[in-house]
Amino acid sequence: MNPVALRLLNQQLICPQFDTPAELVDYMGAMQAQEYRLMRWAVAMRTKKPSAKAFKKAFDSGQIIRLHLMRGTWQLVSAEDYWPLLVLCSAKALAVIKGWMRSNKISIPDEEVKRIREILVQTAADKGSVTKEDFVQALAEKDIHIDDHRLSYHIRYAELSGTLCSGDLLPMKATYALAADKVKNHVNMDRDETLAMLARKYFQSRQPATLEDFVWWSGLNINDCRRGIEILGDSLHVETVCTPSLQQKRREYYFTDDCRTRGFRKGNYLLIPPYDEYLIGYKSRDIVLSPDYSHKAHNNSGIFQPIIAHDGVICGNWTPFKDDLQATFFMGEHETDLQEEWKRYKTYQIK
């Protein structure tokens, strides 16, 4: 078994199975969306015909929703999963955000939350899709002036209450809309159903992965994660894998019965955006990234860099938003160029 090849296949990074961005996001369960511009490539590169226009269409129509969800960070989720995941994850995400507020000595009383929320809602209702600057202007008209940091917390509160979510996709700036207007279908699931759904989508798209990986990614407590796995029953199985490249480390990995195993071909290069699920979807990343070079991919503060993978192994960095490819390698000898993958990336932007 080649765990790197299995991850590439099941993450849809090679031989993708899906035609549309909405199908892909629904399959993944949730996708990190920290970088507003490059989250689009993270989705598009996993579809059969990458297209920025197709992503915008799905985003603007509410098929894909962006909000602060797991671990208090930005995620993309499907419209169908939006409400169940919000119910499941909001309490833990809110606790994380309140912890950040305490560390920054910020306290927001309930009266302030209510007053600001009313203005945010009215602004979104009037304009349909609003930027943070629109909120600032609306607050100023009420003679309310708060700094950007404090306003961000109010917006996150509104997201986690199911009041605000992503609005239309702009080139550079995030926008917000009323969730009730953007996500038309309010899907109801009980807690066990949602835990099972999230566990199934996580392992089908990130396998092989461990329980610890699932706990890290979801931001849920370990008992909830174990419960999700338990409900799935025989549709998941465990294998203990010993990987020589990891100094004989043994780990228990979960697999689905329909794990993709065919389609891997050697010699494949990928230009992967920062904060991509290929790394951030796991607590332990040493299967694909040597610990000696982890600082090239991310720092201890959670800042992730654009990376290059060769046959699934992280070996270099690249620079997006340039006219020409700029790439550097920190591991291995790589004489071949990346022009084919660079062309795929550039073409997706103009389709």
Side-chain angles (χ1 to χ4, degrees), residues 252-264:
E252 289 189 343
Y253 289 100
Y254 285 90
F255 296 82
T256 65
D257 291 339
D258 58 355
C259 177
R260 295 183 69 196
T261 60
R262 296 180 180 275
F264 176 75

Side-chain angles (χ1 to χ4, degrees), residues 43-314:
V43 173
M45 72 184 300
R46 290 172 163 88
T47 60
K48 292 179 181 179
K49 295 181 179 180
S51 167
K53 288 183 178 179
F55 181 91
K56 178 172 173 54
K57 181 179 179 180
F59 196 91
D60 289 353
S61 65
Q63 297 177 68
I64 296 174
I65 303 296
R66 181 178 186 248
L67 77 160
H68 289 93
L69 189 63
M70 299 173 181
R71 309 181 307 280
T73 63
W74 285 109
Q75 310 286 323
L76 294 175
V77 299
S78 70
E80 182 177 353
D81 291 346
Y82 169 80
W83 291 109
L85 288 181
L86 192 62
V87 171
L88 178 67
C89 300
S90 59
K92 285 298 295 290
L94 189 59
V96 170
I97 290 170
K98 287 183 175 180
W100 293 343
M101 290 171 60
R102 286 193 297 272
S103 67
N104 289 310
K105 296 181 171 55
I106 295 175
S107 176
I108 302 179
D110 291 343
E111 296 80 5
E112 180 183 328
V113 171
K114 183 176 183 295
R115 186 183 182 197
I116 300 298
R117 178 82 51 84
E118 289 173 351
I119 298 172
L120 300 184
V121 168
Q122 188 60 56
T123 306
D126 291 343
K127 294 179 176 291
S129 189
V130 299
T131 63
K132 186 181 284 188
E133 289 75 14
D134 293 323
F135 287 142
V136 170
Q137 181 178 345
L139 291 167
E141 290 172 357
K142 300 287 186 180
D143 200 27
I144 300 173
H145 304 277
I146 58 178
D147 63 45
D148 183 75
H149 203 185
R150 195 176 190 88
L151 177 56
S152 293
Y153 284 127
H154 277 289
I155 292 172
R156 293 190 189 197
Y157 272 22
E159 287 178 310
L160 292 172
S161 71
T163 304
L164 294 180
C165 68
S166 52
D168 292 343
L169 189 74
L170 298 183
M172 302 290 288
K173 292 182 179 181
T175 69
Y176 302 89
L178 294 178
D181 293 341
K182 194 77 171 181
V183 191
K184 303 298 184 183
N185 298 324
H186 195 140
V187 179
N188 291 312
M189 299 172 66
D190 66 30
R191 188 174 183 82
D192 274 0
E193 288 175 324
T194 308
L195 284 171
M197 176 270 287
L198 188 62
R200 174 176 57 80
K201 290 190 175 187
Y202 175 78
F203 287 107
Q204 75 179 3
S205 58
R206 277 87 173 172
Q207 60 190 324
T210 66
L211 169 62
E212 291 75 19
D213 291 330
F214 183 36
V215 172
W216 148 254
W217 176 82
S218 68
L220 299 173
N221 63 53
I222 193 168
N223 289 332
D224 279 339
C225 292
R226 283 175 172 156
R227 177 60 180 160
I229 291 170
E230 177 187 2
I231 297 168
L232 292 179
D234 293 339
S235 64
L236 282 182
H237 63 276
V238 180
E239 292 185 26
T240 300
V241 178
C242 179
T243 309
S245 62
L246 301 182
Q247 290 80 48
Q248 305 298 325
K249 287 184 180 178
R250 300 178 66 85
R251 293 182 181 138
E252 289 189 343
Y253 289 100
Y254 285 90
F255 296 82
T256 65
D257 291 339
D258 58 355
C259 177
R260 295 183 69 196
T261 60
R262 296 180 180 275
F264 176 75
R265 297 183 302 275
K266 288 186 177 181
N268 185 66
Y269 280 90
L270 293 168
L271 297 175
I272 299 175
Y275 303 99
D276 191 83
E277 289 294 326
Y278 193 58
L279 284 186
I280 212 166
Y282 309 90
K283 182 178 181 180
S284 297
R285 301 165 184 139
D286 47 11
I287 282 182
V288 300
L289 175 63
S290 169
D292 293 338
Y293 299 106
S294 61
H295 64 285
K296 297 286 189 178
H298 60 83
N299 64 21
N300 292 332
S301 299
I303 305 300
F304 282 69
Q305 303 299 325
I307 50 175
I308 301 169
H310 179 231
D311 290 338
V313 176
I314 308 305

